[in-house]
Amino acid sequence: MNALDTTLSLLAAAVLGVVAFRMLQLPPILGYLVVGVVIGPFGLGFAEDSAVTHEMAEFGVVFLMFSIGLEFSLPKLMAMRKQVFGLGMAQVLVTILASLCSGWLASYCLPKFFQIGWEAAFALGGALAMSSTAIVSKMLTERLELESLHGRQIISILLFQDLAVVPLLILVPALATHSDNIVTTLLWAGGKAVLVLVLLLVVGQSMMRNWFKLVVKRRSQELFMLNLLLITLGAAWLTEKAGLSMALGAFVAGMLISETEYRHQVEEDIKPFRDVLLGLFFITIGMLLNLKLVAQNVWMVLFLFIGPLLLKLVLIAGLARLFGSSTSVALRTGLALAQAGEFGFVLLNQAGALNLIDPQLLQLILASMVLSMLVSPFILAKSDAIVMKFSANEWMMQSLALTQIAARTMSTRKHVIIAGFGRSGQNLARLLSEEKIDYHALDLDPDRVREAQTAGANVSYGDAARKESLVAAGIHRAAALVITYTSTASALKILHFVHELQPGLPVIVRSHDDVDLEKLRDAGATEVVPELMEGSLMLASHALVLLGVPLRRVVHRVQAARDERYESLRGFFHGASDVADSPDAMQIRLHSVTLSERASAVGKRIAELALAELEVDIHTIRRGKARQDADDTLVLQSGDVIVVRGTSEAVARAELRLLK
């Protein structure tokens, strides 16, 4: 197979795999791994394990490390330093130490097949220490646990794991040299790394911002993208020529750009390259898996799967307890991070290329890592039940939390339950207090709850998306419930429980825009407040008042827009800068259709077109310089501009009906 054949095979398989795993609500990374196993040389043989695939895979790691560098923030690290450099560092070091001890014991207790050198044990320890950022962060986000105690702890450990990859990628090749003087080898590798880093950070820091300003002034998206690729690959080339990994150079390039004002634009532009190439990397990892060999050693694979999983769970949970976490938080942290990670495959691949590990043993370890990632979503989904079973005081702690909520709200009547106590929730609470209206807020950020309680706010630690929390907050006695954060999934869950517990309770929901307006209303929301719509109304009202429009008329217009549920404000003309919103098929948009002489709508009345059945309405009609009302009896003429409103798909169907 030539390069084009290989690339097309990988892309076709990737598309099918990701579609299948998306339908199963599983992370795409697992789809890539399974696809690699199926189409690889040990599977159906549709793709070869060639130099072309390895080069593409290496570039995937380069762009991944570049993205990690973009997210590297010194202030963020300092704010989380105890967890990141305390618990995170301890987790990586203890895991590597445990791997070295296991390698030493294996040389005395296990057959020769399992006996490995200390260099290989070090590399395996580094790989074992890594957890899957992609899987864990996605699951935490879906479960609304990012700001919980265990969520913060998990993110801190993942952050240090990402940082630890950089020195590990330098150390493993240095150890593989089998030099008689290993100290000299490590010092030489470290010296080169320091020299290159100083060169990139000192010289690069002073040049990067000025260079980007020069490029941006040319106002060319093409030039911006070319410059971005040049910097990323150029830094990777520089570190490779210095005898270090390409990933290190890409990481430093990301760090340099993260300090500029172009960071967010760069992050958006690099995503397609990173995601596609990283997907190909995981496919090549799957291609390494020899299913026949795994089937012949199935018990060994299970041992290598269960052993490290339990070891990592015990190590992380134990360390979390040593750092002051409760048993339940420690267990949740261990369960979330017990699986293998993306960078574990990177380090394992590097160790295999350096011949540190026997190829057959590498196959079995690879299979066990893939298996651990496959079961990870299921472990996380069942983490609550597992913690309740093994933590004797977990049910007591949850009961105590609910009792505390109930105790604070027991004497209140006709109060407002506030779901989420961020800025919006706190501002609402302040206004309610000024009007002498009782409220009680629920929030999952323990630091925020503690500070607010100390200041006298009526807030408790609790999840408003749980039925028990709503009951404890006095939903049966409440006058209203306000959801102040913009999570449609959580809002729908709360609305379901409100309908079940107190059907007539008014519920006000905050949303980001109008995409989920109907969905939230249908679920029972009394009012939905899209913040983009409200921002537009406030901006327009201030502008009208400054231009001399009477305040009474402005207030009337704003109130009319709210009374009609923002109907007149829904939809807007999409442009090139709205690409980020385009994948959402429910986004309401406006679209102008100019009728030519041969357009099928010319000479017809609007009623004859039956656009309503396409779920589209006519926003306005422009004829010449004048605007026409969308009257059903109006006969359309050549040159008319019809502005239609609806979802992207509905608008496309309407345009087809108007023109052909």
Side-chain angles (χ1 to χ4, degrees):
M1 297 175 72
N2 58 32
L4 181 59
D5 293 335
T6 302
T7 305
L8 286 175
S9 299
L10 294 178
L11 289 175
V15 170
L16 294 174
V18 171
V19 167
F21 273 70
R22 283 285 190 192
M23 291 173 66
L24 295 171
Q25 299 293 313
L26 292 172
I29 181 176
L30 301 181
Y32 290 126
L33 289 168
V34 172
V35 161
V37 173
V38 173
I39 70 168
F42 301 110
L44 299 177
F46 291 155
E48 298 174 352
D49 186 18
S50 63
V52 174
T53 57
H54 283 289
E55 286 175 5
M56 288 192 293
E58 194 166 4
F59 281 120
V61 178
V62 165
F63 282 104
L64 176 62
M65 288 302 294
F66 178 80
S67 297
I68 296 296
L70 279 177
E71 296 171 6
F72 183 86
S73 167
L74 195 57
K76 181 180 177 182
L77 280 179
M78 293 307 295
M80 303 168 66
R81 59 186 178 276
K82 182 181 177 182
Q83 296 291 343
V84 175
F85 294 104
L87 181 57
M89 182 185 292
Q91 183 265 324
V92 172
L93 292 178
V94 171
T95 306
I96 292 175
L97 183 62
S99 178
L100 288 169
C101 293
S102 299
W104 177 75
L105 286 173
S107 62
Y108 291 98
C109 308
L110 296 178
K112 189 176 180 181
F113 178 73
F114 285 102
Q115 294 178 13
I116 55 176
W118 71 270
E119 299 93 342
F122 181 89
L124 286 176
L128 180 64
M130 301 297 129
S131 303
S132 176
T133 303
I135 294 175
V136 175
S137 60
K138 180 179 183 294
M139 292 289 289
L140 287 177
T141 302
E142 289 178 351
R143 291 164 62 88
L144 304 175
E145 294 177 354
L146 277 175
E147 293 299 327
S148 62
L149 285 171
H150 64 276
R152 288 184 175 189
Q153 197 160 259
I154 290 164
I155 294 300
S156 298
I157 295 173
L158 287 172
L159 184 57
F160 186 83
Q161 288 178 2
D162 291 343
L163 296 176
V165 173
V166 177
L168 287 172
L169 288 173
I170 298 170
L171 284 172
V172 172
L175 296 176
T177 57
H178 302 293
S179 171
D180 293 334
N181 193 343
I182 190 65
V183 176
T184 304
T185 304
L186 290 175
L187 286 175
W188 175 240
K192 285 192 295 182
V194 170
L195 181 63
V196 172
L197 287 173
V198 168
L199 179 65
L200 286 171
L201 291 173
V202 175
V203 179
Q205 188 68 52
S206 59
M207 291 177 60
M208 188 66 69
R209 193 182 302 273
N210 292 330
W211 176 249
F212 260 93
K213 284 181 179 177
L214 181 66
V215 170
V216 169
K217 283 181 180 178
R218 306 285 77 81
R219 298 183 180 278
S220 169
Q221 182 66 26
E222 179 183 2
L223 180 61
F224 188 87
M225 181 62 71
L226 287 171
N227 176 62
L228 182 56
L229 293 174
L230 173 65
I231 290 172
T232 308
L233 298 178
W237 173 84
L238 186 62
T239 50
E240 186 189 35
K241 290 301 178 185
L244 304 168
S245 79
M246 290 200 300
L248 175 61
F251 175 79
V252 175
M255 280 179 57
L256 293 176
I257 295 175
S258 72
E259 298 299 322
T260 71
E261 59 268 37
Y262 310 106
R263 169 190 169 183
H264 297 293
Q265 180 63 38
V266 168
E267 196 169 9
E268 287 301 315
D269 287 344
I270 209 69
K271 268 184 182 178
F273 295 96
R274 181 196 67 191
D275 294 344
V276 171
L277 291 171
L278 193 60
L280 295 179
F281 165 74
F282 286 117
I283 289 177
T284 59
I285 292 295
M287 288 168 60
L288 297 174
L289 192 60
N290 187 337
L291 288 176
K292 185 177 179 182
L293 182 65
V294 170
Q296 292 171 350
N297 300 274
V298 64
W299 294 110
M300 203 175 292
V301 171
L302 288 175
F303 170 74
L304 291 171
F305 157 61
I306 296 172
L309 198 73
L310 292 176
L311 173 66
K312 207 169 171 184
L313 168 60
V314 171
L315 280 178
I316 294 173
L319 287 169
R321 284 286 289 147
L322 285 176
F323 276 79
S325 298
S326 65
T327 303
S328 61
V329 170
L331 274 174
R332 291 179 196 276
T333 305
L335 288 167
L337 298 173
Q339 83 291 118
E342 299 88 352
F343 285 120
F345 289 115
V346 175
L347 292 167
L348 191 68
N349 202 29
Q350 187 185 55
L354 295 168
N355 297 317
L356 287 175
I357 306 172
D358 181 88
Q360 286 194 347
L361 180 59
L362 189 70
Q363 290 284 332
L364 303 182
I365 295 171
L366 182 67
S368 67
M369 289 174 68
V370 172
L371 196 57
S372 76
M373 293 184 78
L374 284 170
V375 302
S376 178
F378 304 103
I379 293 175
L380 281 167
K382 297 292 183 183
S383 59
D384 288 339
I386 295 172
V387 171
M388 290 284 283
K389 189 170 184 177
F390 287 95
S391 178
N393 65 341
E394 172 65 8
W395 69 271
M396 191 181 298
M397 295 297 292
Q398 290 190 13
S399 299
L400 180 61
L402 293 173
T403 303
Q404 289 173 344
I405 297 172
R408 291 194 182 100
T409 62
M410 196 172 292
S411 61
T412 56
R413 292 285 189 279
K414 300 298 180 183
H415 61 294
V416 177
I417 299 174
I418 302 175
F421 207 59
R423 174 176 287 188
S424 298
Q426 291 172 41
N427 289 336
L428 172 61
R430 197 172 293 119
L431 292 171
L432 289 172
S433 296
E434 290 173 0
E435 294 295 327
K436 304 292 190 269
I437 298 174
D438 291 331
Y439 72 89
H440 195 85
L442 298 172
D443 197 274
L444 284 172
D445 188 322
D447 295 338
R448 183 186 295 151
V449 170
R450 185 175 60 252
E451 290 215 7
Q453 282 180 349
T454 305
N458 295 322
V459 57
S460 300
Y461 180 82
D463 184 2
R466 289 185 62 205
K467 183 195 291 187
E468 297 85 354
S469 298
L470 292 174
V471 172
I475 191 172
H476 297 294
R477 305 184 305 275
L481 186 150
V482 183
I483 302 172
T484 66
Y485 51 85
T486 58
S487 170
T488 301
S490 178
L492 291 173
K493 191 181 292 186
I494 294 172
L495 288 166
H496 170 74
F497 289 138
V498 169
H499 180 71
E500 181 181 330
L501 297 168
Q502 192 73 3
L505 184 71
V507 182
I508 303 169
V509 182
R510 174 188 166 204
S511 67
H512 177 64
D513 51 28
D514 61 329
V515 172
D516 296 316
L517 212 56
E518 278 81 14
K519 189 185 295 184
L520 291 166
R521 285 176 186 163
D522 292 343
T526 311
E527 291 291 343
V528 181
V529 182
E531 57 185 24
L532 286 182
M533 301 292 193
E534 281 296 321
S536 301
L537 283 175
M538 288 300 99
L539 186 66
S541 63
H542 284 294
L544 290 172
V545 170
L546 287 173
L547 291 170
V549 178
L551 180 59
R552 182 177 296 178
R553 192 187 304 173
V554 173
V555 172
H556 175 73
R557 283 188 175 276
V558 171
Q559 191 57 47
R562 288 174 178 154
D563 289 343
E564 65 176 11
R565 303 289 183 93
Y566 309 99
E567 197 60 37
S568 62
L569 301 180
R570 300 195 68 189
F572 62 99
F573 297 105
H574 285 209
S577 60
D578 300 306
V579 173
D581 295 327
S582 60
D584 197 332
M586 296 306 294
Q587 180 72 54
I588 302 296
R589 63 183 300 169
L590 299 179
H591 180 58
S592 299
V593 181
T594 304
L595 301 182
S596 63
E597 292 182 2
R598 296 185 178 181
S600 62
V602 173
K604 293 181 180 178
R605 293 192 303 274
I606 291 178
E608 295 178 54
L609 298 172
L611 294 178
E613 69 183 27
L614 301 178
E615 298 181 348
V616 167
D617 60 18
I618 295 179
H619 186 261
T620 54
I621 299 173
R622 186 171 63 83
R623 180 170 291 172
K625 294 184 178 180
R627 291 179 180 271
Q628 300 281 336
D629 292 330
D631 188 350
D632 283 348
T633 61
L634 180 68
V635 178
L636 298 175
Q637 300 176 4
S638 174
D640 284 352
V641 178
I642 316 297
V643 180
V644 292
R645 178 171 59 185
T647 64
S648 298
E649 292 182 1
V651 163
R653 292 195 299 267
E655 183 175 22
L656 197 65
R657 181 169 293 186
L658 288 167
L659 298 179
K660 296 182 181 180

